[in-house]
Amino acid sequence: VASAAAAAAASRLVTVLLLLLLASSSAAAASDIINKGDCICTEGYIMDQYCIQTGRLLDNWEVNTLEQPGEHSLHCLLDVLWCVDSGFTVLGDPDESSTGGLYTVAAKLDGDGTDLVWNFAVDRGKPGPCTECTGLLGDMTKGFRAAVVGIVDSVGDITSSDPLVAAPSITVTAVLEDGSCSSYTCPDTGGIVQGDAAITSAPSSEPSSKPSAQPTTNQPTGSLSPSVSHAPSPAPTPVSQEMLDLMAAESKWGQPASYEFVFQRSCFCQPSYVQPMYVVVENGIKTNVTFIEEALAGSETEDIADGILTIEDQFRLIEQSLVGPYKADYISVLYDEELGYPLFVSIDHSKLVADEEVQIFNTLQL
């Protein structure tokens, strides 16, 4: 009898423990649900939507975007217009058990939020490799990470195989240093937010006032946290031979600390603008620009100097003329075989517009 009573007691104990385990699991699952209006803090690599859509990093085409986002340069993130204009995202760190080792899109940022992150990043990037970077608060060249706080506009569709459609969209309210989510409290909620895409203890009372950068349709009212969702990387878009040539040339060039070269352009413009100029560049900045011809030595060069492109500027011009919204109707480039800098550049942005063609000639002074 005593043995039967003990067995029954043990059975009841096991039942209670199982119920407690199930309750705990249900609570954990509930904490992974996000809803429109929630305040979340998500941290990770900042990635533009363009590089996610192509499946490859624009500045390093051999790298799968969602496999190695740490190789993404600040130049690509902050300088290339169609990357910036596509809108930024925060990538959730990979979970081998649910994502197969791939990073996920934890959140898409609204337009103003992209601007906030852009301004946050430029002060932490190294000038030179990144044209827009100021270097005021750092010297990063690649793999930029940040913590982003925002209000959920739309929860995304986790059934989609497109990582951008699956991700929630947020209106950004703050940008913080990476690692700040573990101690950040959302305003008016009292909730501590943690993790890749952690959820506050209560929804925000502040309504969303801005649409997402890339709104989705047919969304459910609630969704699993993007930190546990999985979407395969999109198939890469084929890259042109011209873009491959540009990447190879930039790799050879390697951004020297200082250099001097003769710059000359051919265009439908004032005679002084087509004269050869001697240009000195230090740390990516033009420090001296003078006319080669002695007869013009006393002429005003300030206005002309503003329009002269460093070698790095010319790489950006070539890049923008090859892909994106500023793609030119015609472009031809000849690179130096050893050093990679462009010896000759010819661009016609629109064959329908007369006299807007430009040619550039460069001679490096060794």
Side-chain angles (χ1 to χ4, degrees), residues 9 40 80 104 114 120 149 212 247 297 307:
I40 68 171
V80 181
T104 57
T114 291
F120 189 86
V149 183
S212 65
M247 294 175 183

Side-chain angles (χ1 to χ4, degrees), residues 30-35 38-41 152 186 191-195 197-202 223-226:
S31 70
D32 284 334
I33 300 296
I34 62 174
N35 295 283
D38 284 349
C39 172
I40 68 171
C41 182
V152 177
C186 276
I192 302 294
V193 288
Q194 304 174 356
I199 313 307
T200 59
S201 60
S223 170
L224 289 179
S225 163

Side-chain angles (χ1 to χ4, degrees), residues 25-264:
S25 300
S26 298
S31 70
D32 284 334
I33 300 296
I34 62 174
N35 295 283
K36 183 175 181 179
D38 284 349
C39 172
I40 68 171
C41 182
T42 178
E43 55 193 11
Y45 288 111
I46 303 299
M47 183 64 65
D48 59 271
Q49 294 191 34
Y50 180 85
C51 284
I52 295 174
Q53 290 167 341
T54 61
R56 303 281 176 169
L57 298 180
L58 177 62
D59 56 340
N60 195 344
W61 205 255
E62 295 181 354
V63 175
N64 184 308
T65 302
L66 296 182
E67 286 182 357
Q68 296 177 275
E71 296 301 312
H72 191 222
S73 72
L74 268 72
H75 156 64
C76 183
L77 181 69
L78 305 174
D79 293 337
V80 181
L81 293 180
W82 58 90
C83 290
V84 178
D85 290 346
S86 70
F88 288 170
T89 70
V90 182
L91 298 186
D93 292 332
D95 181 352
E96 289 289 344
S97 63
S98 59
T99 68
L102 292 178
Y103 287 77
T104 57
V105 181
K108 295 181 297 187
L109 313 185
D110 66 308
D112 289 343
T114 291
D115 291 343
L116 286 173
V117 173
W118 189 92
N119 287 319
F120 189 86
V122 294
D123 287 341
R124 290 157 176 79
K126 183 178 181 179
C130 170
T131 304
E132 297 288 351
C133 291
T134 66
L136 293 176
L137 299 174
D139 60 355
M140 294 186 63
T141 59
K142 63 180 181 179
F144 179 73
R145 294 175 63 100
V148 180
V149 183
I151 307 300
V152 177
D153 287 331
S154 59
V155 298
D157 178 6
I158 63 168
T159 65
S160 174
S161 61
D162 185 332
L164 292 171
V165 175
S169 298
I170 64 173
T171 295
V172 177
T173 58
V175 183
L176 311 168
E177 297 291 351
D178 185 41
S180 299
C181 282
S182 60
S183 59
Y184 182 83
T185 303
C186 276
D188 301 325
T189 68
I192 302 294
V193 288
Q194 304 174 356
D196 290 331
I199 313 307
T200 59
S201 60
S204 168
S205 59
E206 179 183 354
S208 172
S209 59
K210 297 175 184 174
S212 65
Q214 191 173 351
T216 57
T217 58
N218 300 324
Q219 297 153 336
T221 57
S223 170
L224 289 179
S225 163
S227 63
V228 297
S229 65
H230 169 55
S233 177
T237 301
V239 64
S240 67
Q241 184 59 51
E242 290 83 359
M243 181 61 74
L244 292 174
D245 291 343
L246 171 62
M247 294 175 183
E250 283 197 88
S251 178
K252 289 180 182 179
W253 177 243
Q255 181 68 36
S258 61
Y259 58 92
E260 302 174 10
F261 72 108
V262 175
F263 173 95
Q264 186 175 12

